[in-house]
Amino acid sequence: MRSLAARAPTRIDFGGGWTDVPPYSNEQGGCVCSVAIARYATVELLGAPPADGPPSASEGDIAVSALRRSGVNGVSLSLESDYPIGAGLGGSSAAGVAAVGALAVWAGAPLAPADLAERSRAIEVDDLGNACGRQDHYAAAFGGALGLTFGKSTTVVRIPITPATTEQLEASCTVVYTGQSRVSGATITGVLDAYERRDPIVTAALARLRALAESMITALVRGSVAELGGLVGEHWEHQRTLHPAITTARIDAIVQLARERGAWGAKALGASGGGCVLVMAPHASTVVLRRELANLGVLLPVVIDHEGFRILRSSEATI
C-alpha cells in the first residue's frame, strides 16, 4: 500500500503579528520577524482502494478541507501534533501546510514554499472562514528565521543565523503554555474593526509593531539576541493595547515575574487571550527563572527548525 508522511513546524513570532492581516497589510504594509520551532504537525497519507469510499481525514478541520480541495481520491489522511492546540504557535497553519504539501507531493505536483503557504492560507480563510494573517503559513512552509514583509505581495527574507546564534536563542528563549484556551478569530476581528474605524490607539500600536519587527530582523541579522529580547519586551507594551482580550491575569503574572527576574523581554504569542508566552532572558538566569515559571504554566523547550515543510517518508505500493 502506498504511503507518505510529511510534517511542518510551528513558530515563535518575535514581533509584527497583526500587521500581516488584511486590510492593514494591504493598506499600510506589514512586517513580521519569526522563527520556526521543532513542534510539528505531522500528516500521514495512506492509499486505499476506490471501493473503500471517498477520501477521509481523522482529525483537523484544515486538513479535512485540504483533502477535499485536493481532488485526490483513494487516500486517507491522519494528522498528529506535538504542541498544545490553541497555544498561539500557529498550529492550525502548520497542519494546513503539512496537509497541502503532502497531498501535492502525492499527486505528483509538489509546491514551492510560497505557493504552499498561500494555498494553505486560502483554505483557512475561504473554507473555514477564519480571520488570519499570512505569517504562520510562511513560517511552516519555509522554516528557519524569517523576515516577512506584506503588501500586495509577500516578500520572504531568510535570516541567516549562525550555529552560535541558534544556540543562544534556544538557551535564552522560554515558552510557557498557560493552559488557557483562546479564540483568536474573535480577537482578530475586534482589532481589525478598530483599525477600520481608525481608532488612534490601535493604528499607532500597529505602526509601532511593524517598526519593531523591522528592528528585530536587523538584530537577528547581527546575532544580537539581547537586543532582540529587549524589542520583544517593548512589543508587548504596544501589543496588549490592541484589544482587552489579548492579555489575561496569567499572562500578566508571567510577564511580571520575567521582569522581576531580569528577563530582557516577554510577550504573548499569536493572537493571545491565553495560549503561550515567550520569555527571553540571559542564559545565566534561565535555570532559576524557568523553575519559577513552571509554577505558572507548562514549559515548552525551544529548538529551532531550519527546514520548514518536509517529506519524512514516501513508499510506493508493491505488488
Side-chain angles (χ1 to χ4, degrees):
M1 180 181 295
R2 184 184 179 189
S3 66
L4 183 149
R7 74 183 187 192
T10 55
R11 60 92 188 99
I12 291 172
D13 57 313
F14 292 119
W18 300 97
T19 71
D20 62 316
V21 184
Y24 185 88
S25 57
N26 297 335
E27 295 174 359
Q28 308 297 332
C31 182
V32 168
C33 179
S34 68
V35 67
I37 61 172
R39 292 275 171 168
Y40 299 103
T42 302
V43 161
E44 183 168 7
L45 303 179
L46 292 174
D52 284 356
S56 62
S58 62
E59 60 179 306
D61 290 344
I62 194 168
V64 172
S65 294
L67 186 54
R68 289 172 179 164
R69 268 202 184 204
S70 70
V72 173
N73 294 311
V75 64
S76 64
L77 182 154
S78 62
L79 170 67
E80 294 183 355
S81 59
D82 62 359
Y83 49 84
I85 302 302
L89 299 174
S92 65
S93 302
V97 166
V100 170
L103 289 161
V105 171
W106 184 278
L111 296 169
D115 295 329
L116 178 53
E118 288 295 333
R119 189 170 298 186
S120 175
R121 180 180 180 272
I123 291 172
E124 189 163 10
V125 173
D126 298 337
D127 293 8
L128 304 181
N130 293 337
C132 68
R134 284 182 161 81
Q135 63 149 315
D136 296 351
H137 301 274
Y138 277 84
F142 282 86
L146 300 179
L148 301 167
T149 55
F150 305 95
K152 293 183 178 179
S153 62
T154 300
T155 301
V156 181
V157 175
R158 292 184 181 271
I159 303 172
I161 51 175
T162 65
T165 300
T166 297
E167 183 179 359
Q168 189 177 2
L169 277 171
E170 292 176 347
S172 301
C173 290
T174 301
V175 172
V176 187
Y177 176 50
T178 65
Q180 299 168 327
S181 62
R182 50 184 268 289
V183 182
S184 63
T187 307
I188 292 173
T189 300
V191 173
L192 296 181
D193 287 346
Y195 164 70
E196 291 180 337
R197 297 193 307 270
R198 297 301 189 264
D199 180 293
I201 293 176
V202 170
T203 55
L206 289 170
R208 186 56 186 155
L209 298 186
R210 181 184 62 221
L212 285 167
E214 293 169 351
S215 297
M216 290 172 178
I217 293 168
T218 300
L220 259 186
V221 169
R222 291 201 302 261
S224 180
V225 176
E227 180 184 355
L228 174 64
L231 293 168
V232 163
E234 182 182 348
H235 191 283
W236 175 241
E237 295 307 311
H238 298 282
Q239 178 183 339
R240 62 179 293 149
T241 67
L242 292 173
H243 192 278
I246 285 178
T247 194
T248 66
R250 178 66 59 85
I251 292 173
D252 287 342
I254 292 170
V255 172
Q256 182 62 31
L257 174 61
R259 287 174 176 165
E260 292 173 354
R261 298 298 183 267
W264 294 317
K267 69 178 284 289
L269 297 175
S272 192
C276 287
V277 178
L278 168 66
V279 176
M280 296 188 66
H283 185 205
S285 65
T286 54
V287 173
V288 174
L289 177 58
R290 287 172 180 171
R291 187 180 303 128
E292 296 188 58
L293 288 171
N295 295 321
L296 295 172
V298 178
L299 305 190
L300 304 180
V302 173
V303 177
I304 294 175
D305 171 274
H306 296 277
E307 297 179 317
F309 171 78
R310 178 187 176 193
I311 297 296
L312 299 175
R313 67 176 186 277
S314 179
S315 64
E316 297 295 329
T318 57
I319 299 175

